[in-house]
Amino acid sequence: MRGRLARAAVFCAAAVALAAGAATAGAARAAGFPARPITFIVPYTPGGTTDIVARTVSQKLGERFGQTVIVENRPGAGGNIGMEAVAKAAPDGYTIGFGAISTNALNPFVYPSMPFDPTKAFTGISMLGTSAVVIDVGPQVPVKDVAGLVDYARKHPGLGFGTPGTGTSMHLAGLLFDQATGAGLQHVPYKGSSQAINDLLGGHIGVLFDNLPASLPHIKAGKIHALAVTGSERSSVLPDVPTLKELGYAGAVVDPWFAVYGPAGMPDDVTQALSEAFRWALALPDVKEKLRLAGFNPYGSTPREVDTLSRSEYERFKALSAKVSLKAE
């Protein structure tokens, strides 16, 4: 995990260094691109982490390119429906997708059949950044820390833990947490964060493993309580909330990452133009501030770095799937 975060720091530094010259380089490499609007497919429901990031960055890309970047939500099957549309699109740079640790590394070990092979179907464009998975409890679960949750769960067999969907990094985090603690939690998958948060607030589930940006407003409002984050480091927007690693559960650490992909076979000049544009947008001070306040750690990267991370994570989950059952219910 430290290795992945170290790479993240390198990506971030590279983005800042390249931002100043991105506009000139992009124009030189892909003259005339884009000549029409770009569709940016987000394979999840509106209102979640991916949607927040996509709409923030797309606005800047539209200003840079002088063309509209249309954010299109196509949720379903753990992100597979949206990313299948990306994989099958013409490889001309006009259809790109918001991929994630789940869609591009984890899902092959969750779903019995996949509509695409993530190791072959895509062209990596740029990293977008990382988020934290936060463990939330609603007002109906009277605990203040992880130890209290584990004790409560053991006394209430079958306590449900919600996630934004089967096969997501939040699902993985919940499974690893349950395995590490022996809490005996039962997975309750939802179609996105909004539904899961509503059921947590309504008392239909007791625990929620969620991407931090979606839960953060409710945490700040005092409606739900954050017990821990599953990443390697504390979140800058929740500095008093411990990590599972600090609490002795290093084996349950999960750091979700997100990246932009296009279909396989995209021209190098178009890929580079898009990559440079994303790195430029993610390095803008106002974008960085907005996303970090939302609980997201933004950084861009080169296409090669996207492909390298995607492949290494795919291999990691391949090994992990032999130890933890990730199959869709």
Side-chain angles (χ1 to χ4, degrees):
M1 186 58 67
R2 286 185 178 275
R4 288 193 297 281
L5 290 181
R7 285 196 296 272
V10 171
F11 295 162
C12 187
V16 174
L18 288 165
T24 301
R29 291 182 179 183
F33 177 85
R36 63 179 191 271
I38 295 170
T39 298
F40 191 11
I41 294 176
V42 176
Y44 303 103
T45 55
T49 299
T50 52
D51 199 53
I52 293 169
V53 176
R55 293 183 188 279
T56 299
V57 177
S58 291
Q59 180 181 353
K60 297 298 184 181
L61 262 64
E63 295 171 3
R64 171 190 171 94
F65 285 139
Q67 291 285 351
T68 303
V69 179
I70 303 166
V71 176
E72 182 177 316
N73 296 90
R74 292 199 194 181
N80 285 345
I81 291 176
M83 291 307 287
E84 179 184 11
V86 176
K88 292 181 176 179
D92 53 14
Y94 288 99
T95 300
I96 57 178
F98 198 124
I101 185 175
S102 53
T103 58
N104 289 76
L106 181 58
N107 281 0
F109 312 105
V110 174
Y111 293 90
S113 62
M114 286 285 290
F116 55 83
D117 180 347
T119 66
K120 299 177 181 178
F122 301 106
T123 298
I125 292 172
S126 173
M127 295 301 297
L128 287 163
T130 59
S131 178
V133 173
V134 62
I135 305 174
D136 300 321
V137 292
Q140 73 283 357
V141 176
V143 302
K144 296 183 178 180
D145 53 31
V146 167
L149 173 60
V150 173
D151 182 63
Y152 182 87
R154 289 172 177 169
K155 293 176 180 177
H156 297 78
L159 181 67
F161 78 90
T163 71
T166 297
T168 60
S169 55
M170 290 72 77
H171 180 198
L172 174 64
L175 291 177
L176 293 177
F177 174 83
D178 194 58
Q179 183 182 68
T181 62
L185 299 174
Q186 299 296 314
H187 184 219
V188 183
Y190 287 84
K191 295 181 179 179
S193 292
S194 298
Q195 292 180 1
I197 291 171
N198 286 339
D199 270 11
L200 183 71
L201 293 171
H204 301 294
I205 54 172
V207 189
L208 174 63
F209 284 71
D210 194 21
N211 264 322
L212 178 56
S215 285
L216 188 59
H218 304 279
I219 295 170
K220 288 185 173 181
K223 295 179 179 180
I224 58 179
H225 183 57
L227 302 183
V229 293
T230 69
S232 303
E233 299 177 354
R234 293 195 181 199
S235 169
S236 61
V237 293
L238 292 177
D240 296 329
V241 176
T243 67
L244 288 182
K245 185 175 182 180
E246 290 176 58
L247 299 175
Y249 302 114
V253 170
V254 175
D255 279 309
W257 51 263
F258 305 88
V260 187
Y261 298 85
M266 281 176 49
D268 288 344
D269 59 346
V270 171
T271 301
Q272 290 299 330
L274 284 166
S275 180
E276 289 163 359
F278 273 100
R279 281 178 273 169
W280 168 81
L282 290 162
L284 293 172
D286 59 331
V287 171
K288 291 168 64 176
E289 181 69 8
K290 180 177 181 178
L291 296 184
R292 283 176 175 166
L293 287 175
F296 188 83
N297 178 38
Y299 62 88
S301 78
T302 66
R304 177 174 291 183
E305 287 165 330
V306 177
D307 292 336
T308 298
L309 179 62
S310 302
R311 185 71 197 193
S312 67
E313 289 284 84
Y314 176 91
E315 294 297 335
R316 182 169 75 97
F317 290 128
K318 183 178 181 180
L320 183 62
S321 66
K323 303 176 183 178
V324 179
S325 177
L326 302 171
K327 295 298 182 183
E329 287 90 348

